[in-house]
Amino acid sequence: MAEYTPPVDDYAFLYGEVFGTDIIARATGGELSADDATEIIAGAGEFAASVLAPLESVGDRVGAQLTDGQVYLPTGFAEAYQAFVDAGWIAAEAPESAGGEGLPGAVRAGLGEIWNASNAAFALCWLLTAGQIHALDAAASDELRETYLTKLVSGQWTGTMNLTEPDAGTDLGAIRTMATPRADGSWGISGQKIFITWGDHDVAENIVHLVLARTPDAPAGAKGLSLFVAPKFLVNDDGTLGDRNAITTVAIEHKLGIHGSPTCVLAYEDATGYLVGEVGGGLAGMFVMMNSARTGMGFQATGIADRAYQQAAGYAAQRLQGAVLDHPAGTPIAEHPDVRRLLLSMASRIFAMRALDVYVGDLFDRDDTALAEFFVPILKGWTTEDAVQITSDGIQVHGGMGFIEETGAAQHYRDARIMPIYEGTTAIQSNDLVGRKVIRNGGATVQQLLGLVDETIAQLRTLEHPVAQRTAERLERAVEASRRATQSLLGFAASPRDVAAISVPYLMLLGTLAGGWMHALTVAAVLAHETEQERDAARLTLADFYGAHHLPRVHALAETVAGGEIG
Amino acid sequence: MAEYTPPVDDYAFLYGEVFGTDIIARATGGELSADDATEIIAGAGEFAASVLAPLESVGDRVGAQLTDGQVYLPTGFAEAYQAFVDAGWIAAEAPESAGGEGLPGAVRAGLGEIWNASNAAFALCWLLTAGQIHALDAAASDELRETYLTKLVSGQWTGTMNLTEPDAGTDLGAIRTMATPRADGSWGISGQKIFITWGDHDVAENIVHLVLARTPDAPAGAKGLSLFVAPKFLVNDDGTLGDRNAITTVAIEHKLGIHGSPTCVLAYEDATGYLVGEVGGGLAGMFVMMNSARTGMGFQATGIADRAYQQAAGYAAQRLQGAVLDHPAGTPIAEHPDVRRLLLSMASRIFAMRALDVYVGDLFDRDDTALAEFFVPILKGWTTEDAVQITSDGIQVHGGMGFIEETGAAQHYRDARIMPIYEGTTAIQSNDLVGRKVIRNGGATVQQLLGLVDETIAQLRTLEHPVAQRTAERLERAVEASRRATQSLLGFAASPRDVAAISVPYLMLLGTLAGGWMHALTVAAVLAHETEQERDAARLTLADFYGAHHLPRVHALAETVAGGEIG
C-alpha cells in the first residue's frame, strides 16, 4: 500500500480562489480564512498519513473479527481511534451547538476526504458518529443531548445508524422492528437490523445506536416509524456505564471490501431505547443523519479515488518499461501516452469531485438550502459511480501487478464498490433528485444551476486562453444538452415508469456537467493569476482533459434520457 | 453461486438466422448445419452446468495451493478435467490437421463462452491448451507434433504460454530468458517467467510450456526471440514420462480473482526445451497462440458477463421489495424500472458481445482474414472492458447483498477485472488496431466495415417496424461519427503520441458501433419471421435498449478521439 499525500494545495486553491472569493472567510464572517482552513487540512493530512494510512492494509488483510459476541478490530485500530479523538478530529466535525468546533462545511468536506483517503474503513466510524451528532443535535431532548450527544462529541462513544432489515432495504416502510413504551418512559425495542456499519467494535467504551422502529398502533409504511437511541451499554444516572443492553451482535458480514469496517447483524430483544423527537417523526429525524451521510459519501468517493490515483501514479512513476514510440528504453510508464491518459482521466475526475464536495459544503454554509439539497443526491450518486471506475482505472495502470493483492490497487477497487449502494443506492438518489428536486418545482432549481453555469461560460468567453475558449465551447454545448434532457424529463412527469427508468442517466448527466463546471471555474481562477504559478499548467490540462474525455458523455446521456423507458 | 443456464436459443438464432444464412452449413460445406451446431452447444451447456459450474465457487474460496513445489487444485477439479477430456471437449477445439474435430470458429466461440461462463478459472486451462494446439499446429516440426501436439489434443497434457518476465510485460523485446543450443539438438533454457496461467497443477500428468527466449548472439529486441516447448516432465523416446525437467514453481500469486486458476512464477534452470519453427521466429509463432487467446478473451468476457447477468436476474426475480410507484407491495425488484434498466443494460451488451464472437469466428471460417484480424483487438478490448462494467452492474442489482461474498455476485466482479489486462492490455489491443489495421492501410478496412453497416441500415430502412426505424436512424448517426473519428485518427498519423493517446477511445468506439450493428442485424432477422416467435419481442427490446443507452457513447468517444493528446 502506497503512502498517502494529502491534497493540501488543492484545498488552498478551492478555499481561496476557485469560487471567486475566500469562501472560508465568507462562511465564518472572517473568523477563519482560507489560509487557516488550509492549515487545518494540512494538520489533518499529517495525522492521516502517519496514523491512519498505515492501518489501511492490515484492516483489509485481517479485518474485523467476531469472537464470543464481541467484535475486535486489528491491532492498532483502538490506539488510532484514541489518537484521532485526542487530536480533536471528532469535535472538529460537530457543530458549536453540540459543543463542537462548528467548522464550515467546506472545511469538513476536506477533512472527510482525508479520513477516507487514508483509511476508508476507519473513516466510516467517523462518518456514522458525525452523522449521529448532527441528527441528535437537530432532534434530541436536552436529557438525551446531555447523556449521549456530549459523549459522541467528546469521542468517548461512537454512533451507528440502524435502518435496514432483511426485508426492508430500499423500502424503509417495510421496517418491522417494534418499540413498545415502558412505564419509566423508556421503550423496549425488538427486531433484527442488518448491514450495521461499525455496529460493534472494541475501539471505544460504548456505542450509541440510532434505530428506526415501529410503535404500537402506528400507521403502516414510513409514516409509522419513530427514532430511538439505544446504547450498547446502559447508562447509569451518574453517567457511568451500567449493564449490557439486550442488543446482540449475531454475525458480521464477509464482504468484498472495507474489511476493517465491521458490518453487523444486530438482534434487539426488548432492548432499552429512548425516543428521539416525536412518535412518527422517525424518518424526518433519520433524514438529517442520512443527508449528512450522503454528503459524506462524496468525501469517501473522492478519498478512495484519490488514494487509488496516488497508488497508480506512484507505480507509474517508478515502473520502467522499454521503448515505446519515441521514448528510449527505461521510460517510466507514466509517460506512455495511454498510461498518461488513464492517470489524467482519474485525476481530472477526482479534482471535479473534490471541488464539488467543497462547493456543496459552501452552499450549506451559505444556507442556500434549496441548491445544496439539490446537489446532495448528485454528489452521492455521481461521485460514487465515477469513483468505482477510477479505482478500476487504477488497476489498469498497474497492468498485471494490479491484479495481485499485495500491490494494493485491488483493495481500492474492492472497497469502492459498496459506495453506489449504501446510504441509498444510486437509484434512490436519482429518485430523490428527479422526484423531489426537479419535477416537483418544474425544473426551477435545475434552471438556476444552468444559469450559474452560463455565467461561468460568459466569463470564460472573455479570456483569450485556448483552454478557456475550448472549455466555454464544450460547456455551452453540454448546458444545451442538459436543458434538452431536463425538458425530456419534465415531459415524462405524468409517466412515473419513464421517469424512474431514466433517472440514473439524468443524475449522471448533471453530475458530469457539474464536474465540467468545476473545471471551468478552475480555468477562470488559474487565468486570473498575474504570474504563472507552479501548478497552473497542470490544472489547465486537467480541465482540458475533462472537457475532451468526460464532459462529452453528457450528450450520450441526454440521448438516453430522451428515450424514456425502453420496451 | 447461482446455477448456470447455457444460452442455447441465442446460438441457434445466431448460427441460423442473424447473418442471413446458416453460417455453419456455409463454413462446413454442408457437413454440419446450424441445428447440428446448436446440439453441440446444448451438449456442452449441459456438461458445463452439471460438471463445471458447481466448482466455480470452491475454486474461488479455496483456490489453487502451492505445497512443496507442486500446485494443487481444489477437490473436484482433476475429476472435472478428466470428464472434460473424456467428453471430447479438448478435441472439439483442435483443427483436423492436429487430429481434432475441426469445428467451425463460430461453434468454438459458443463453446468458449460456455466453458468461461460456467467456470472461468477452469476455462483458462482449456484456453491456454487450445491456444498452444493452434500454435504448434502452425509451426511445430513433425517430431514435436508427434510427441507434444497429439498429447495436447487428447487432453492427456495441458499447455501454457510463457512470455512475461519481471521486466518484460507489455514490452516483449525486453525478454531476458536465454536458450542455449546443446549437442543433442535440444536447448537449455534459463530465466524466470511470471504470470504463467495454469503453469503448474495436478489435473493432468504433464504440462507443455511454450516459451519465448533469446538465443546466443540474437539481435536485441523482439526480433531476437525464439519459441520453445519445454515440458514439466521430460518425455522418453517411447513417449512415456521421464525425469522432472529443471522448471520450478517458485510461487503462485495471491490474486483479486480467478483463484481457481494457478498463476505461477516459474524458474528455468538450464531446463530442456525444443525449438519450434525458426530461430528468431518466436514472436511470429507466439502470435498464433496470442491471436487465439485474444479471440478467446471475447468468449471469456461474454461468459463471465453472462454468468453475472444470470446471477443478478435470478436474484431480482425472487427478491421482493415493497411498493414502488404503481406496483403493489411484494413486487420482484426485476420489475422496478431502475433494476430493469440495469438488467437490460447488461443483457443488451452481452448479446452484442456474443453475436460479435460468432461473427468474428465466422470471418475466420470464411478466410476473410483481413476483416477477422481487424476485429481481434476490438473483440478483446471492447468486450473485456464492457464485461467489467457488466459485473459491476450485477453487484448493483443485488443492493447490499451484492457486497457480501456468499451471494456470489462479487466473484464475477473480481474475476472479470483481469480480462482487460492479460493477453495484452486494452492499450496494446488499441495500438495493434490503430497502428497495424487502420493507419497502415489508410483506413481501408474500417471503410469496408462501415460499408457493411451501411448495408444493414439500408435493409432496416425498408422495414416498417418502429424499432427498425429507430435502430437505422441511430446507427446511421453512429456510422457518421465513426467516419469522423476515423478521419481524426488518420489526421494524427504523423503524430504517434496523439494516436496512442486516443487509440483506446477509438477502439471502444468501434466496439460499441459493432455491438449496435449486431443488434441491427438481429432486428432484421427477427422481423423476417413470418409469425412472431417467443423471444422476438425480447430481442427487439434489447436492440432498442442498446441503441438508446449504449450506442450514443459513440458520439462522446468521437469527440474524445478528435481531441488527440491533451496538454
Side-chain angles (χ1 to χ4, degrees):
Chain A
M1 186 67 62
E3 293 190 357
Y4 172 61
T5 306
V8 179
D9 281 359
D10 269 6
Y11 279 102
F13 181 57
L14 289 164
Y15 292 154
E17 301 186 59
V18 172
F19 303 104
T21 186
D22 180 334
I23 59 170
I24 306 300
R26 181 171 67 188
T28 61
E31 267 189 53
L32 288 178
S33 67
D35 286 348
D36 297 330
T38 304
E39 261 185 56
I40 295 172
I41 294 296
E46 207 177 304
F47 179 89
S50 60
V51 177
L52 303 182
L55 292 172
E56 192 177 41
S57 177
V58 68
D60 184 59
R61 282 198 320 278
V62 177
Q65 306 287 342
L66 175 64
T67 309
D68 298 334
Q70 169 66 46
V71 174
Y72 298 91
L73 273 291
T75 305
F77 270 69
E79 294 76 4
Y81 178 77
Q82 195 54 50
F84 188 77
V85 167
D86 292 346
W89 296 121
I90 296 280
E93 174 60 29
E96 282 183 14
S97 52
E101 292 192 26
L103 289 176
V107 179
R108 290 185 283 118
L111 297 177
E113 178 191 333
I114 286 169
W115 311 141
N116 277 292
S118 56
N119 195 325
F122 177 91
L124 285 165
C125 180
W126 161 84
L127 180 85
L128 276 299
T129 300
Q132 192 174 128
I133 286 171
H134 291 287
L136 292 184
D137 187 49
S141 67
D142 286 348
E143 196 181 335
L144 290 180
R145 293 175 71 92
E146 176 63 28
T147 308
Y148 294 98
L149 185 54
T150 53
K151 297 294 176 94
L152 290 165
V153 173
S154 71
Q156 282 175 272
W157 304 349
T158 69
T160 76
M161 176 156 66
N162 284 225
L163 290 79
T164 306
E165 300 178 4
D167 290 311
T170 287
D171 179 22
L172 293 175
I175 281 175
R176 287 190 288 189
T177 294
M178 286 298 301
T180 312
R182 294 173 177 165
D184 66 354
S186 72
W187 296 68
I189 301 176
S190 295
Q192 193 183 67
K193 294 289 185 180
I194 63 171
F195 294 148
I196 307 308
T197 299
W198 283 83
D200 190 36
H201 60 77
D202 62 342
V203 312
E205 63 182 32
N206 204 5
I207 301 169
V208 185
H209 303 293
L210 196 63
V211 188
L212 272 186
R214 194 171 293 288
T215 50
D217 309 319
K223 286 172 190 165
L225 297 175
S226 303
L227 197 59
F228 301 87
V229 289
K232 176 180 176 180
F233 289 100
L234 297 169
V235 185
N236 298 322
D237 287 344
D238 63 357
T240 58
L241 296 185
D243 290 341
R244 180 107 187 215
N245 202 352
I247 306 171
T248 312
T249 305
V250 178
I252 60 173
E253 304 292 354
H254 173 220
K255 308 190 298 293
L256 174 61
I258 51 168
H259 298 160
S261 165
T263 303
C264 301
V265 178
L266 297 184
Y268 288 76
E269 292 167 288
D270 195 29
T272 299
Y274 304 94
L275 182 69
V276 178
E278 304 293 319
V279 169
L283 220 51
M286 192 59 100
F287 264 124
V288 175
M289 180 154 185
M290 282 209 287
N291 255 335
S292 165
R294 285 171 179 184
T295 313
M297 293 317 299
F299 316 154
Q300 186 172 73
T302 310
I304 291 180
D306 192 44
R307 193 77 186 278
Y309 171 73
Q310 292 192 22
Q311 160 89 38
Y315 182 84
Q318 53 86 9
R319 168 72 174 169
L320 306 179
Q321 271 281 273
V324 170
L325 300 178
D326 53 339
H327 287 321
T331 302
I333 62 168
E335 296 179 28
H336 294 193
D338 191 69
V339 173
R340 183 170 177 272
R341 175 187 68 83
L342 284 166
L343 292 172
L344 286 173
S345 178
M346 299 169 78
S348 66
R349 286 174 149 177
I350 292 163
F351 181 82
M353 294 178 184
R354 181 176 292 141
L356 193 65
D357 289 337
V358 169
Y359 178 70
V360 174
D362 185 57
L363 287 174
F364 278 112
D365 290 337
R366 285 190 275 151
D367 292 324
D368 190 342
T369 313
L371 197 55
E373 294 200 340
F374 178 83
F375 268 113
V376 169
I378 296 173
L379 193 68
K380 199 280 179 186
W382 168 66
T383 63
T384 62
E385 293 277 351
D386 267 22
V388 171
Q389 292 178 30
I390 290 168
T391 61
S392 182
D393 286 346
I395 290 181
Q396 192 70 17
V397 167
H398 290 78
M401 288 306 294
F403 202 63
I404 307 300
E405 284 288 1
E406 286 78 0
T407 306
Q411 181 183 345
H412 306 305
Y413 177 74
R414 291 187 288 97
D415 286 353
R417 192 58 195 78
I418 188 60
M419 294 193 292
I421 295 173
Y422 63 12
E423 315 304 346
T425 64
T426 311
I428 292 292
Q429 306 304 320
S430 70
N431 283 346
D432 175 39
L433 174 69
V434 302
R436 292 201 193 89
K437 294 162 183 178
V438 177
I439 291 175
R440 190 173 291 175
N441 67 12
T445 314
V446 190
Q447 294 307 332
Q448 181 194 349
L449 164 64
L450 297 179
L452 292 170
V453 182
D454 283 339
E455 287 175 23
T456 306
I457 294 168
Q459 189 187 355
L460 290 183
R461 291 278 186 213
T462 68
L463 302 171
E464 303 260 314
H465 198 282
V467 172
Q469 294 299 314
R470 278 201 292 274
T471 302
E473 188 272 329
R474 289 165 178 153
L475 200 52
E476 192 165 288
R477 285 188 290 111
V479 169
E480 279 167 28
S482 305
R483 287 209 161 88
R484 280 202 313 278
T486 303
Q487 284 309 312
S488 302
L489 177 69
L490 292 170
F492 290 128
S495 170
R497 281 198 69 91
D498 280 307
V499 169
I502 48 85
S503 61
V504 168
Y506 182 76
L507 180 151
M508 293 303 291
L509 181 155
L510 285 187
T512 306
L513 176 77
W517 182 34
M518 295 296 113
H519 276 294
L521 291 166
T522 293
V523 170
V526 163
L527 296 179
H529 293 164
E530 293 190 3
T531 53
E532 192 175 329
Q533 297 180 9
E534 194 184 340
R535 296 189 58 167
D536 284 354
R539 293 198 197 286
L540 292 179
T541 296
L542 285 189
D544 205 17
F545 187 95
Y546 189 96
H549 285 250
H550 297 309
L551 192 61
R553 288 173 62 214
V554 165
H555 303 290
L557 290 164
E559 186 169 339
T560 300
V561 168
E565 187 172 34
I566 304 293
Chain B
M1 186 66 63
E3 293 189 356
Y4 172 60
T5 306
V8 178
D9 282 359
D10 269 7
Y11 279 102
F13 181 58
L14 289 164
Y15 292 156
E17 301 186 57
V18 171
F19 302 104
T21 187
D22 180 334
I23 59 170
I24 306 301
R26 181 172 65 190
T28 61
E31 265 189 53
L32 288 179
S33 68
D35 286 349
D36 298 330
T38 304
E39 259 184 58
I40 295 172
I41 294 296
E46 208 178 303
F47 179 90
S50 59
V51 178
L52 303 182
L55 292 173
E56 192 178 41
S57 179
V58 68
D60 185 57
R61 284 197 319 279
V62 178
Q65 306 289 340
L66 175 64
T67 308
D68 297 333
Q70 168 66 45
V71 175
Y72 298 91
L73 272 293
T75 305
F77 270 70
E79 294 76 4
Y81 178 77
Q82 194 55 50
F84 188 78
V85 167
D86 292 345
W89 296 121
I90 295 279
E93 173 61 28
E96 282 183 14
S97 52
E101 291 192 25
L103 289 175
V107 178
R108 289 185 283 117
L111 297 176
E113 177 190 335
I114 286 170
W115 311 140
N116 277 291
S118 56
N119 195 324
F122 177 92
L124 285 165
C125 180
W126 161 83
L127 180 84
L128 275 299
T129 302
Q132 191 174 127
I133 286 172
H134 291 288
L136 292 185
D137 186 49
S141 66
D142 286 348
E143 196 181 335
L144 290 178
R145 292 175 71 93
E146 176 63 28
T147 308
Y148 294 98
L149 184 55
T150 53
K151 296 295 176 96
L152 291 164
V153 173
S154 71
Q156 282 174 271
W157 304 349
T158 70
T160 75
M161 175 157 67
N162 284 226
L163 291 78
T164 307
E165 299 178 4
D167 290 311
T170 287
D171 179 21
L172 293 175
I175 282 175
R176 287 191 289 191
T177 294
M178 286 298 301
T180 312
R182 296 172 177 165
D184 66 356
S186 72
W187 296 69
I189 301 176
S190 295
Q192 192 183 66
K193 294 290 184 178
I194 64 171
F195 295 149
I196 307 309
T197 299
W198 283 84
D200 191 35
H201 59 76
D202 62 341
V203 312
E205 64 181 31
N206 203 6
I207 300 169
V208 185
H209 303 294
L210 196 63
V211 190
L212 272 185
R214 195 170 293 286
T215 49
D217 308 319
K223 286 172 190 165
L225 298 175
S226 303
L227 196 60
F228 301 86
V229 290
K232 176 180 176 181
F233 289 100
L234 297 169
V235 184
N236 299 322
D237 288 344
D238 63 357
T240 58
L241 296 186
D243 290 342
R244 181 109 186 213
N245 202 351
I247 306 170
T248 312
T249 305
V250 178
I252 60 174
E253 304 292 353
H254 173 219
K255 307 190 299 291
L256 174 61
I258 51 167
H259 298 161
S261 165
T263 304
C264 301
V265 178
L266 298 183
Y268 288 75
E269 292 166 288
D270 195 29
T272 299
Y274 304 94
L275 182 68
V276 178
E278 304 292 319
V279 169
L283 219 51
M286 192 58 101
F287 263 125
V288 174
M289 181 156 185
M290 282 210 287
N291 255 336
S292 166
R294 286 172 178 184
T295 313
M297 294 317 299
F299 315 155
Q300 186 173 75
T302 310
I304 291 180
D306 191 45
R307 193 76 186 279
Y309 171 73
Q310 293 192 22
Q311 160 89 38
Y315 181 83
Q318 54 84 10
R319 168 73 174 169
L320 306 178
Q321 271 282 272
V324 170
L325 300 177
D326 53 338
H327 286 321
T331 302
I333 62 169
E335 296 179 27
H336 294 194
D338 192 69
V339 174
R340 183 170 176 273
R341 175 187 69 83
L342 285 166
L343 292 172
L344 286 172
S345 178
M346 300 170 78
S348 65
R349 286 174 149 176
I350 292 163
F351 181 83
M353 293 177 185
R354 181 176 292 141
L356 193 65
D357 290 337
V358 169
Y359 178 69
V360 174
D362 186 57
L363 286 174
F364 279 112
D365 290 336
R366 286 190 275 149
D367 292 324
D368 190 341
T369 314
L371 197 55
E373 294 200 340
F374 178 81
F375 268 113
V376 169
I378 295 173
L379 193 70
K380 200 282 179 183
W382 168 66
T383 64
T384 61
E385 293 278 350
D386 266 22
V388 171
Q389 292 179 30
I390 290 169
T391 61
S392 182
D393 286 346
I395 289 181
Q396 192 71 15
V397 167
H398 290 79
M401 289 304 296
F403 202 62
I404 308 300
E405 283 287 2
E406 287 78 358
T407 305
Q411 181 183 345
H412 305 305
Y413 177 73
R414 291 187 286 96
D415 285 354
R417 191 59 194 79
I418 188 60
M419 292 193 294
I421 296 172
Y422 62 11
E423 314 304 347
T425 64
T426 310
I428 292 294
Q429 305 306 321
S430 70
N431 284 345
D432 175 40
L433 174 70
V434 303
R436 290 201 195 90
K437 294 162 183 178
V438 177
I439 292 174
R440 189 172 292 175
N441 67 14
T445 314
V446 191
Q447 294 307 333
Q448 180 194 351
L449 163 64
L450 297 179
L452 293 170
V453 183
D454 282 339
E455 287 175 23
T456 306
I457 294 168
Q459 189 188 356
L460 290 183
R461 291 279 186 213
T462 68
L463 302 171
E464 302 261 314
H465 197 283
V467 173
Q469 294 299 313
R470 279 202 291 274
T471 302
E473 188 273 328
R474 290 166 178 152
L475 201 52
E476 192 164 290
R477 285 189 291 111
V479 168
E480 280 167 25
S482 304
R483 287 208 162 89
R484 280 202 314 278
T486 303
Q487 284 308 311
S488 303
L489 177 70
L490 293 170
F492 290 128
S495 170
R497 282 198 69 91
D498 280 306
V499 169
I502 47 85
S503 60
V504 168
Y506 182 76
L507 180 151
M508 293 303 290
L509 181 154
L510 285 187
T512 307
L513 176 77
W517 182 34
M518 294 296 114
H519 276 294
L521 291 166
T522 293
V523 171
V526 163
L527 296 178
H529 292 163
E530 293 190 3
T531 54
E532 192 175 329
Q533 296 179 10
E534 196 185 337
R535 298 189 57 167
D536 283 355
R539 293 199 196 285
L540 292 179
T541 296
L542 285 190
D544 205 18
F545 187 95
Y546 190 96
H549 286 250
H550 297 309
L551 192 60
R553 289 173 60 215
V554 164
H555 304 289
L557 290 163
E559 188 169 340
T560 300
V561 168
E565 187 171 38
I566 305 293

